[in-house]
Amino acid sequence: AQKVTQAQTEISVVEKEDVTLDCVYETRDTTYYLFWYKQPPSGELVFLIRRNSFDEQNEISGRYSWNFQKSTSSFNFTITASQVVDSAVYFCALIRKGNQGGKLIFGQGTELSVKP
Amino acid sequence: EPEVTQTPSHQVTQMGQEVILRCVPISNHLYFYWYRQILGQKVEFLVSFYNNEISEKSEIFDDQFSVERPDGSNFTLKIRSTKLEDSAMYFCASSEGQLTSGMPDTQYFGPGTRLTVL
């Protein structure tokens, strides 16, 4: 069975602090895909990133970076110099290879609150 | 930038009533999905739809639920006889479905419809 665990339910930081959101997954598949989505207070789900299980290169996009470690089944997300606009619930999700039209399996989400 | 749209943004209904939630997926996408999120909980898959057929469904998607693509643009979720526990945010999503390499495409989500069953 596949499972995604985001152990941090809520994180609160002060603006300009760096923050890392943890994501640990379980799957028996050797090829799979991992995603991060952001859910701001307005409620929509915004796609942030997709990673393939065979590509363990870290990725940086502006203030966002992602650390994928297959050995520990983790796909952590770091926001550098956080801003109030980063306040949202962040979801990590998993889908298996070849699963076109298949389901995303989401973690419970981490609610990030960035205070001014 | 193309986006998934959903109507209404909020639907209030009485228990036992039928509701239809509407979605307009991104125009060149071939796969469509419904997910739901009970307040404060994780997002759960309900069903996926391709080529006018259900591609995959979860155990949540029982006989009370149905999906339809009534025309070339809309994708609907019908709940025949709503229950209190159907109260949730319902998200529609779509994906391109063009890749043949076996890699699943990114699913893009709409803003959601908040369903409240009284």
Side-chain angles (χ1 to χ4, degrees):
Chain A
Q2 299 175 309
K3 186 178 176 183
V4 176
T5 301
Q6 294 178 255
Q8 303 151 309
T9 308
E10 295 178 19
I11 300 177
S12 183
V13 299
V14 176
E15 210 169 17
K16 298 184 184 172
E17 281 186 33
D18 298 347
V19 58
T20 295
L21 311 182
D22 297 333
C23 172
V24 173
Y25 59 90
E26 295 173 30
T27 180
R28 292 182 187 166
D29 297 319
T30 54
T31 305
Y32 46 89
Y33 300 84
L34 295 162
F35 298 77
W36 277 94
Y37 285 85
K38 174 182 179 180
Q39 186 177 40
S42 47
E44 71 272 26
L45 282 167
V46 179
F47 164 72
L48 294 178
I49 189 171
R50 179 178 86 168
R51 294 300 277 176
N52 307 325
S53 59
F54 48 84
D55 181 1
E56 289 194 65
Q57 279 193 345
N58 291 332
E59 183 151 342
I60 298 174
S61 175
R63 297 184 296 107
Y64 295 172
S65 63
W66 290 270
N67 180 271
F68 175 36
Q69 293 200 342
K70 210 166 177 177
S71 60
T72 56
S73 298
S74 65
F75 185 42
N76 296 337
F77 173 31
T78 297
I79 302 174
T80 304
S82 59
Q83 299 175 0
V84 172
V85 292
D86 296 327
S87 296
V89 180
Y90 290 87
F91 290 95
C92 181
L94 168 75
I95 194 169
R96 56 200 321 187
K97 175 185 186 288
N99 208 6
Q100 208 65 276
K103 61 184 178 186
L104 279 167
I105 296 165
F106 284 85
Q108 289 285 100
T110 296
E111 183 172 3
L112 174 65
S113 176
V114 181
K115 301 192 185 317
Chain B
E1 187 175 324
E3 57 184 21
V4 177
T5 60
Q6 291 185 243
T7 54
S9 57
H10 192 186
Q11 174 93 46
V12 181
T13 190
Q14 295 290 326
M15 192 169 56
Q17 295 296 304
E18 175 183 286
V19 295
I20 297 176
L21 309 183
R22 292 183 167 79
C23 167
V24 178
I26 295 172
S27 63
N28 65 335
H29 285 190
L30 301 180
Y31 283 88
F32 315 121
Y33 311 81
W34 285 101
Y35 289 79
R36 79 170 186 192
Q37 183 184 30
I38 294 171
L39 187 63
Q41 298 187 22
K42 65 180 170 183
V43 180
E44 300 174 291
F45 171 80
L46 291 177
V47 66
S48 60
F49 192 83
Y50 171 73
N51 200 26
N52 283 318
E53 288 184 349
I54 289 175
S55 180
E56 185 173 344
K57 63 181 182 179
S58 72
E59 59 276 7
I60 302 169
F61 194 86
D62 61 23
D63 292 343
Q64 292 296 317
F65 292 91
S66 62
V67 289
E68 191 180 26
R69 184 133 161 99
D71 54 43
S73 58
N74 290 286
F75 178 53
T76 62
L77 173 70
K78 182 193 289 187
I79 309 175
R80 287 192 183 81
S81 178
T82 50
K83 308 184 188 95
L84 294 176
E85 55 264 35
D86 293 327
S87 295
M89 179 77 95
Y90 288 81
F91 290 103
C92 175
S94 69
S95 64
E96 237 182 290
Q98 305 287 0
L99 292 176
T100 56
S101 62
M103 287 202 302
D105 295 311
T106 297
Q107 296 177 25
Y108 294 91
F109 286 78
T113 292
R114 180 164 298 286
L115 176 65
T116 302
V117 182
L118 302 175

